[in-house]
Amino acid sequence: DGGITQSPKYLFRKEGQNVTLSCEQNLNHDAMYWYRQDPGQGLRLIYYSQIVNDFQKGDIAEGYSVSREKKESFPLTVTSAQKNPTAFYLCASSPTGGGSDTQYFGPGTRLTVL
Amino acid sequence: RKEVEQDPGPFNVPEGATVAFNCTYSNSASQSFFWYRQDCRKEPKLLMSVYSSGNEDGRFTAQLNRASQYISLLIRDSKLSDSATYLCVVIKRDSGGGADGLTFGKGTHLIIQP
């Protein structure tokens, strides 16, 4: 089946540790995105990539890093520099990075920092 | 004025009623608009794009008012399964037609009551 997968669904980490969230898509989409959602809040863009080996910072990139070595994969690392990492992380993809493209979301990863 | 604003609700509506809510945006350069539906603790899913001429999909109607800078979503004959949070998305384009900014509203919470 085509789609976007994120793993794990739930993730717990100790304060001060880095953690990497996985996002894979087999839709052959060029563009991929990472968002963060906090309770009662809208989605905020962390990083996005419109093509392999290229990515740009979104609105809240501090404390996060990404890579885009393959078209299908866009992992997000939450570093210890991120002050409030507990949140719901959503990955999305779209056919291109164009302004009219629909974004399709993965099921999300809930990260809790203990 | 915030970039994208939605009434958070909740809107409590009896089953079978018609309900409508708006999403206002501040940047007149905004070009593309979407409505997403998000169920509790799930990822957002595309409900419909919003076209300048307005569009309808079954019980759902979306409209764009550029002069007053808002989009609307109307749900007729509401069902219990329509209970969810509805997010609006506003995309600006740059001079080349690419996406220059994508902003999610915080969502409107809708509860359909039996």
Side-chain angles (χ1 to χ4, degrees):
Chain A
D1 286 352
I4 305 174
T5 57
Q6 290 185 244
S7 62
K9 190 171 182 179
Y10 298 96
L11 187 59
F12 298 88
R13 82 154 212 221
K14 292 182 180 178
E15 201 168 337
Q17 289 180 333
N18 291 356
V19 63
T20 297
L21 311 185
S22 166
C23 178
E24 304 279 331
Q25 54 97 3
N26 60 5
L27 300 168
N28 200 34
H29 285 175
D30 285 325
M32 297 185 75
Y33 311 80
W34 273 106
Y35 295 91
R36 166 186 176 138
Q37 187 176 36
D38 294 282
Q41 300 296 313
L43 278 69
R44 292 185 290 169
L45 183 64
I46 304 172
Y47 268 98
Y48 65 101
S49 168
Q50 295 183 306
I51 198 168
V52 175
N53 292 321
D54 187 44
F55 49 83
Q56 286 80 40
K57 292 181 179 180
D59 300 321
I60 55 165
E62 186 175 350
Y64 299 97
S65 65
V66 293
S67 63
R68 187 84 187 278
E69 297 176 3
K70 298 186 299 182
K71 188 175 186 177
E72 305 80 25
S73 179
F74 191 41
L76 173 75
T77 297
V78 185
T79 74
S80 57
Q82 169 50 234
K83 300 302 179 190
N84 298 293
T86 295
F88 186 36
Y89 289 88
L90 288 156
C91 179
S93 71
S94 62
T96 69
S100 58
D101 266 359
T102 300
Q103 292 192 12
Y104 299 89
F105 285 85
T109 293
R110 291 195 178 274
L111 173 65
T112 302
V113 174
L114 304 173
Chain B
R1 187 179 185 181
K2 292 182 182 175
E3 199 164 345
V4 177
E5 282 194 87
Q6 293 184 254
D7 183 339
F11 284 45
N12 290 285
V13 175
E15 191 177 7
T18 295
V19 60
F21 30 84
N22 294 338
C23 168
T24 59
Y25 59 95
S26 60
N27 194 319
S28 59
S30 300
Q31 299 268 354
S32 301
F33 309 89
F34 302 89
W35 283 105
Y36 278 76
R37 170 197 169 125
Q38 187 175 25
D39 293 293
C40 187
R41 302 179 72 82
K42 299 285 189 180
E43 74 274 23
K45 293 186 178 178
L46 179 68
L47 182 63
M48 56 200 306
S49 303
V50 186
Y51 304 124
S52 297
S53 56
N55 47 303
E56 188 175 308
D57 183 3
R59 298 182 293 109
F60 297 83
T61 300
Q63 292 193 314
L64 167 64
N65 186 317
R66 285 197 184 274
S68 300
Q69 295 184 198
Y70 72 88
I71 61 173
S72 64
L73 179 67
L74 182 142
I75 306 174
R76 289 180 298 277
D77 188 24
S78 54
K79 312 291 185 189
L80 296 176
S81 58
D82 293 334
S83 297
T85 297
Y86 291 84
L87 308 173
C88 68
V89 178
V90 175
I91 299 176
K92 293 180 291 182
R93 286 196 199 156
D94 59 28
S95 57
D100 186 38
L102 182 153
T103 305
F104 277 81
K106 293 184 179 181
T108 294
H109 188 36
L110 176 64
I111 301 172
I112 306 300
Q113 297 174 326

